[in-house]
Amino acid sequence: MTTETGPARYLDVFAEPRFRALFAARTVWMAAGTLQILTVSVVVYRDTRSPLLGALAFGAGFLPQAAGGILLGAAADRVSPRRLILAGYLLEATVAAALALLHPPVAASLALIAAVGCLAPLGNGATGRLVADTLTGDAYVLGRAAISMSSSGAQLVGLAAGGAAVAALGPTPALLVACAGHLLAALLFVLFAGDAPTPPRTGPVLRESWTGTRALLADRTARRLLLVQWLPPAFSTGSESLLIPYASAHGWPAGTAGLLLAAIPLGMLVGDLLVGRLLGPAGRERAAPLLIALLGAPLTLLAAHPAAPIAVALLAAAGFGLSYLLGLQRPFLDALPPQARGHGFTLLSTGMMTLQGLGPLLMGLAAEQLGPGPVIALAGAAILVVALSLRLNHLRPVRK
C-alpha cells in the first residue's frame, strides 16, 4: 500500500528508468494495435460490404475480455509481469503477421482477434501491477495518468495515420507495419523494463481467479470504486459511437464527424495533464465527483442541437471530465490486497473494456428508436447520477 501523501511531478515519474521503458513500449504497442484494428475493419468491410461485420471487426476484441479477466485474472499475480506483457506483444505481432500473409476468411480473422482479446486483460493487469511496484505515492498516480495520456495520444495518431497508411500502402503492408510495431514494443520492453516479484503458486488458476473475483466484488469499497471507474467511460464511449449519425442528422459536412470524435480524447489529454499537474493528491480526490459531473453535463446539452463548433467544445469539456479517474487511482490501489494487485487491475480493465464494448451496442439500439441526440443526453444524465452517488459516498465514507 502507498503511504506517501506529498505531490509529485511528471519529471519524478519519468526519472524512473523502468517506467520510461514501460511507457515507451506501451505507447508503440497501442499505436500498432490501433492501426491493426482499423486495417482489419477496412478489409472486412471491403470483402463483405456489411457495416455490421465491419463494426464487429472493430470491436471483436472487447467483449471476449470478460471471459479472460474473470477466468484467468489470478494469473496476473502468479506469473511474472515481464512474461505476461512480453507474451502479449509477441502474440499480437503473430496475429498481425497471420492476417497480413495468410488472408484468412472473415470468421477466422474475427476468431483470432477475439482470442487475443481474451488474454488482453492479463497484460493490462500486469502493467498496472508493474507500475504500482515501480512508483509509489503520488508518483504512482501521475504514472497511471501518463500511461492513460499515451494511450489516448497513440490512438489519435494511430487512427489518423492508420487511415492514410491503409489508403497509401494497402491492407497487407499496413498490417505488416502493425506487426513491426508490436515487435518494436516487445524489444523496448525486454531490453529496458524490469520485473516485479511473483509469489509462489497456490492452486489452480481457474479456481483462484473465480474466488479472487468474487472476493473483490464482495468488498464494498473495491466494488464501489470499480463501478465508478467502469460506468462513466462506458456511457462516454457509447456516446462517441453515436457522433457520426448525430452529425449526419444535423446535416453537417463529413469532416465535422471527425472533429466531434477527436474532441473527447483531446479533452482527456488536456484534463489528465492539467489535473495531474495543478492539483495535489487530496485535491484530485475531492474533485472527482465534480469532474464526473463535467463529463456528463455537456453530453446532456447535445440534445439542444447546438451549432457544430459548440458541440465540439462541449465534447472537449466532457473529455476533460474523464480526468476524474486520477482521483480514484490511489483509493483503488489502497483497496486492493497487496497479493491481489494484479488481479484487481485485471478486473478493472476487464470491466472497462467489456462495458465499452456493450455501450455502443446498447446505445445504438436505443438510438434506432429515439435518435442519437436524446440517447447521448440520457447517457450524460446517467453519468450525473454516478457523480451524485460518488459525492454522497464521499460525505458518508464506506468503512471496511
Side-chain angles (χ1 to χ4, degrees), residues 19-397:
F19 178 80
R20 288 200 305 269
L22 181 62
F23 176 88
R26 191 166 179 84
T27 301
V28 173
W29 166 75
M30 180 63 71
T34 302
L35 172 60
Q36 179 177 327
I37 291 171
L38 179 63
T39 305
V40 172
S41 299
V42 170
V43 171
V44 169
Y45 179 72
R46 181 199 65 188
D47 292 346
T48 65
R49 291 298 169 186
S50 168
L52 175 61
L53 288 176
L56 185 60
F58 195 87
F62 286 106
L63 292 180
Q65 293 194 28
I70 292 173
L71 299 178
L72 301 174
D77 291 301
R78 296 174 43 164
V79 179
S80 155
R82 183 184 179 92
R83 290 183 180 178
L84 280 176
I85 295 170
L86 183 59
Y89 292 166
L90 294 177
L91 179 60
E92 296 220 37
T94 303
V95 169
L99 293 171
L101 301 176
L102 301 180
H103 307 291
V106 170
S109 298
L110 296 180
L112 284 172
I113 295 169
V116 173
C118 284
L119 301 177
L122 297 182
N124 292 329
T127 298
R129 179 182 160 206
L130 196 55
V131 173
D133 286 340
T134 302
L135 304 171
T136 58
D138 198 44
Y140 162 75
V141 177
L142 294 191
R144 296 280 293 183
I147 286 181
S148 173
M149 286 188 287
S150 78
S151 297
S152 298
Q155 287 182 56
L156 284 171
V157 172
L159 287 171
V166 174
L169 303 176
T172 295
L175 284 170
L176 291 176
V177 170
C179 174
H182 291 309
L183 291 175
L184 176 59
L187 182 63
L188 289 171
F189 183 79
V190 76
L191 289 179
F192 301 110
D195 206 350
T198 302
R201 300 173 63 120
T202 57
V205 170
L206 290 177
R207 184 177 67 191
E208 189 177 341
S209 297
W210 180 250
T211 302
T213 297
R214 290 179 61 187
L216 287 169
L217 292 177
D219 183 285
R220 192 178 177 191
T221 301
R223 183 176 66 249
R224 176 166 62 88
L225 289 168
L226 283 168
L227 287 172
V228 173
Q229 292 177 89
W230 285 346
L231 295 177
F235 288 120
S236 172
T237 301
S239 299
E240 286 182 84
S241 73
L242 297 177
L243 291 178
I244 292 176
Y246 180 82
S248 176
H250 286 76
W252 291 337
T256 305
L259 293 175
L260 295 175
L261 286 167
I264 288 182
L266 181 61
M268 183 179 178
L269 276 172
V270 175
D272 282 348
L273 181 63
L274 294 182
V275 172
R277 181 68 183 88
L278 299 179
L279 296 183
R284 292 187 212 112
E285 293 173 18
R286 287 195 301 268
L290 294 177
L291 289 169
I292 297 176
L294 179 60
L295 171 60
L299 298 180
T300 65
L301 297 178
L302 290 179
H305 309 293
I310 296 176
V312 171
L314 288 172
L315 289 167
F320 191 102
L322 282 166
S323 60
Y324 85 90
L325 291 166
L326 296 184
L328 303 182
Q329 295 302 314
R330 289 213 306 179
F332 181 65
L333 180 65
D334 289 344
L336 298 176
Q339 73 277 9
R341 281 180 173 178
H343 196 164
F345 288 122
T346 298
L347 186 60
L348 174 63
S349 170
T350 299
M352 291 185 77
M353 292 299 101
T354 301
L355 290 177
Q356 288 182 59
L358 283 174
L361 174 62
L362 297 178
M363 290 178 63
L365 291 173
E368 291 285 337
Q369 303 299 322
L370 303 176
V375 174
I376 292 173
L378 287 173
I383 293 173
L384 291 176
V385 171
V386 176
L388 178 61
S389 171
L390 180 60
R391 182 59 185 164
L392 292 175
N393 276 295
H394 270 212
L395 294 172
R396 298 193 299 271

